Amino acid sequence: MSQSLSRSPLPRTTSSQVPDVELQGLLKTFGPDVAVKGLDLTISKGEFFSILGPSGCGKTTTLRMIAGFDDPTDGALLIQGQSMAQVPAHRRPVNTVFQNYALFDHMSAWDNVAFGLRVKRVGKGEVRSHVGEALKLVRMEGFAQKYPKQLSGGQRQRIALARALVNRPAVMLLDEPLGALDLKLRKQMQLELANLHQRLGITFIMVTHDQEEALSLSDRIAVMRDGQIEQVGSPSEIYEQPQTAFVADFIGETNLFSGQVHANGSGLPQVATPSGLQIQVAESLTHGPVDVSIRPEKIDLSPQAPIRADNCFQGLVRHTMYLGTHVHCVVELTTGDRLMVLQPNQAKHLPDSKMPVYVSWAAADCRALVT
C-alpha cells in the first residue's frame, strides 16, 4: 500500500538540519545583461518561501535555476545538501506549477496527473493509487475524466497542483501560480495553497509580484530588485520594518519623505524636509540624510487638532475613495506635501473635498531609512 500524500507538517529546520534549498553566490547572465547578481539564500525544510519583486527583477530566472530549466553562470545551488550542478531538471526532487497551468489539452484530468508517473514507468496499480490520492487532495476526484477545456480556471489550477504533487517532490516551485485567476477565485486559491502547505509539510517556493499574496501566505519573503535581494524576513518584518525605501514603497502603500536629521528639545530625533516639515521619529539616528516612511493606516485624521501627538500637521482633504471596509483619503498639507491616509469605515460621512483637517501620528510609527 502506498504512503498517503497527506501527512502532518514537517518541523521547521533547526541548526542541525540540512536546508532544503541553498543558493551560494548564484549568478545568471544573458550575454552582457546580468539577470541575477550573486544571490545567497537559505530556505528551510517545510517553509513557505516567497520571492517577491517587480517584473524584470530576476525572480522567475531564480526559480528556473532551482528547477533546472536554466543553468547558473556562476555560483552553487544545493537541494537537500546535494549540488545540482550536473543534475538535469527531470531528476531534481522538485516540481513546478506554472501560471498558464501547462496542461495537455488532449488528455483528461486523470491522464494529466498520471503523465509524470507513466514517464517514470511506475506500475499501473501505483499510478492508480497515487493519482487518486493527488486528485482527492485538491478536491478534484469528481472531475477525473474531464478535459482541461471543460474545466474552470480554478479547476485547471487544482489539476496542475495535483500533477506536481503526485510525484511527491521535496520542493514545490510555484511560478505566479494564481496570476491568471480573477480576484475572488484568487482569494479562494490562496486559502487552498495555505491548506495544502500545512497538510503536506513540504517546502513551497513561490514567485509573485502580488504583495498581498506574499504577505498572506509566506513564512518568509525575499524582496528582489534589479537581480539582487533587498531584504529577507517574515511578512511582519518586511511590512513593519523595511530596510530600504524600495521595500517600504513596494510592500503595500506608504508615505515617503526625504530630509536631514536634526536634534530637538524633546530628545527625539527630528527629520527636516525641504518643504519645511519637521517629523519626529523614535529611532536613534545620527545627523545626515534619511528617508522616513509612514504607513497610511498609522495616521489619524480629525477635524480638530489632537491634544497630544508627536507629529501633527494641518491640511485639506483633496481626494476621498470609498473602499468598503476602509476610506482612503489624500490630504494636502500647508507645506504642499500630500499624504495618503487609510481610515476604518465607521459608517460616518466621508470627508468632503477641501475640508480642513489635522493629520497626526506617533513617532514610533515612523520608519527611518538611511539613504
Side-chain angles (χ1 to χ4, degrees):
M1 185 73 174
S2 60
Q3 183 180 356
S4 172
L5 284 172
S6 182
R7 58 187 183 273
S8 299
L10 299 177
R12 293 287 182 257
T13 299
T14 65
S15 58
S16 63
Q17 292 177 319
V18 176
D20 261 0
V21 178
E22 293 177 85
L23 310 182
Q24 300 173 354
L26 207 64
L27 175 75
K28 181 62 179 177
T29 61
F30 295 97
D33 299 321
V34 182
V36 176
K37 303 175 181 177
L39 296 190
D40 292 302
L41 195 61
T42 299
I43 300 173
S44 299
K45 186 179 295 295
E47 268 197 294
F48 197 125
F49 191 93
S50 291
I51 304 175
L52 177 67
S55 297
C57 71
K59 59 187 185 295
T60 296
T61 300
T62 301
L63 198 76
R64 288 180 60 84
M65 286 191 284
I66 297 172
F69 301 142
D70 288 335
D71 294 325
T73 304
D74 198 5
L77 167 62
L78 288 77
I79 297 179
Q80 295 186 322
Q82 301 297 313
S83 170
M84 294 291 110
Q86 303 300 322
V87 182
H90 68 279
R91 294 194 178 277
R92 297 188 181 193
V94 304
N95 263 350
T96 307
V97 178
F98 301 96
Q99 179 179 346
N100 64 356
Y101 319 127
L103 299 176
F104 299 112
D105 288 337
H106 66 286
M107 292 184 182
S108 68
W110 177 278
D111 289 331
N112 265 284
V113 177
F115 180 79
L117 297 176
R118 288 170 174 164
V119 168
K120 295 179 179 179
R121 300 186 181 277
V122 174
K124 290 183 179 180
E126 198 172 354
V127 169
R128 188 180 306 111
S129 173
H130 289 351
V131 173
E133 289 175 6
L135 289 172
K136 185 176 181 180
L137 191 64
V138 297
R139 297 188 290 114
M140 287 295 289
E141 60 268 39
F143 298 83
Q145 300 310 314
K146 297 285 187 180
Y147 287 81
K149 290 182 179 179
Q150 297 173 304
L151 301 174
S152 68
Q155 290 168 342
R156 290 196 295 273
Q157 188 59 277
R158 286 189 175 94
I159 295 301
L161 284 167
R163 186 179 59 182
L165 291 168
V166 78
N167 287 307
R168 303 179 180 182
V171 180
M172 276 276 285
L173 305 177
L174 306 164
D175 186 8
E176 301 276 6
L178 310 181
L181 305 179
D182 62 51
L183 181 60
K184 186 173 182 180
L185 187 54
R186 191 182 185 108
K187 298 289 186 185
Q188 293 173 355
M189 286 303 298
Q190 286 175 7
L191 185 59
E192 295 278 356
L193 277 179
N195 288 337
L196 271 175
H197 176 255
Q198 186 175 25
R199 291 169 64 186
L200 294 172
I202 64 177
T203 302
F204 279 28
I205 303 177
M206 181 176 71
V207 157
T208 182
H209 65 272
D210 187 307
Q211 302 98 320
E212 183 180 341
E213 191 166 275
L215 289 171
S216 63
L217 290 174
S218 310
D219 295 314
R220 287 193 303 149
I221 298 169
V223 181
M224 285 191 70
R225 179 191 187 192
D226 295 334
Q228 297 176 307
I229 292 177
E230 289 265 318
Q231 184 174 348
V232 178
S234 68
S236 62
E237 288 170 342
I238 294 290
Y239 186 81
E240 301 289 351
Q241 301 168 37
Q243 294 176 356
T244 67
F246 173 81
V247 174
D249 192 41
F250 187 75
I251 305 296
E253 290 187 322
T254 196
N255 297 285
L256 279 174
F257 295 96
S258 297
Q260 293 284 330
V261 179
H262 300 284
N264 68 4
S266 69
L268 291 175
Q270 195 171 66
V271 176
T273 71
S275 64
L277 285 182
Q278 302 287 331
I279 303 173
Q280 293 189 71
V281 298
E283 299 174 76
S284 177
L285 299 173
T286 57
H287 289 269
V290 70
D291 291 328
V292 178
S293 168
I294 310 105
R295 297 290 186 188
E297 70 274 12
K298 306 290 188 182
I299 301 173
D300 291 323
L301 187 150
S302 60
Q304 293 88 31
I307 296 174
R308 182 177 177 182
D310 296 327
N311 296 285
C312 179
F313 306 100
Q314 192 172 11
L316 296 174
V317 175
R318 290 301 188 191
H319 182 71
T320 302
M321 186 181 297
Y322 178 76
L323 302 177
T325 58
H326 288 76
V327 177
H328 184 284
C329 298
V330 176
V331 177
E332 183 175 320
L333 306 182
T334 55
T335 56
D337 297 291
R338 290 199 168 199
L339 275 176
M340 295 180 292
V341 182
L342 192 64
Q343 298 282 284
N345 179 11
Q346 299 176 335
K348 296 180 180 179
H349 293 297
L350 298 181
D352 295 326
S353 180
K354 298 185 180 180
M355 172 182 172
V357 292
Y358 289 88
V359 292
S360 59
W361 62 88
D365 289 330
C366 296
R367 176 69 178 170
L369 309 165
V370 177
T371 57

